[in-house]
Amino acid sequence: MDAEVSTPEEYIATLPEPRRGEVRVLHDLIRREAPELEPHMVSGMVGYGTYHYRYDSGREGDWFVVGLAGRRAYISLYVSASDGDRYLAETYRDRLPKADIGRSCVRIKRLADVDLETVAHLVRAGAAAHRPA
């Protein structure tokens, strides 16, 4: 990614096709499903919304609620939320069988491999987990 990229729109524009079009679809989906999460650039990817975390160790900081990155081999969709026992993304493993799912990351090789309504549900659930009670 170019060091001059400072907005999500600029970031998406730097991606080669077909990755650019796929990331654009996911960006639009996130904006539609979680409009309260403002997009911004963080660590070379698009972050949506922010929350403050504090670990028992005393380490703390701010991070995004949802993140999106177009990588060479796949698209990374990060959902920084848990159900108390495990990361929310992990609970979608059976609903997104062609995606490679880590703790908070859903890696998608091709957008055609996943059901977009299921991805939309995951984004909505991740955003809801960070809303004040």
Side-chain angles (χ1 to χ4, degrees), residues 2-132:
D2 188 337
E4 299 298 314
V5 173
S6 61
T7 70
E9 292 299 328
E10 290 173 354
Y11 170 75
I12 294 169
T14 67
L15 299 172
E17 287 294 357
R19 188 66 72 220
R20 179 184 320 134
E22 293 177 323
V23 169
R24 163 66 55 206
V25 167
L26 288 173
H27 172 73
D28 292 345
L29 179 148
I30 294 164
R31 296 299 297 136
R32 182 179 66 247
E33 301 298 331
E36 72 277 14
L37 301 179
E38 284 298 318
H40 58 282
M41 293 303 299
V42 59
S43 298
M45 65 185 106
V46 183
Y48 302 85
T50 60
Y51 73 98
H52 189 77
Y53 65 85
R54 180 177 292 121
Y55 294 122
D56 291 339
S57 67
R59 180 176 174 211
E60 62 182 289
D62 296 303
W63 198 238
F64 53 71
V65 175
V66 175
L68 181 63
R71 309 291 189 210
R72 182 172 292 138
Y74 49 82
I75 298 168
S76 296
L77 174 69
Y78 299 91
V79 180
S80 302
S82 72
D83 65 5
D85 295 323
R86 57 189 178 154
Y87 284 92
L88 195 56
E90 292 175 304
T91 68
Y92 279 73
R93 191 169 274 125
D94 62 333
R95 290 178 263 182
L96 297 168
K98 289 189 175 184
D100 178 22
I101 299 180
R103 295 178 66 177
S104 63
C105 182
V106 177
R107 287 173 290 277
I108 303 165
K109 285 192 181 201
R110 295 175 324 158
L111 211 49
D113 289 345
V114 296
D115 175 57
L116 289 180
E117 186 50 45
T118 301
V119 173
H121 189 270
L122 173 58
V123 167
R124 285 191 306 267
H130 285 282
R131 284 191 194 109

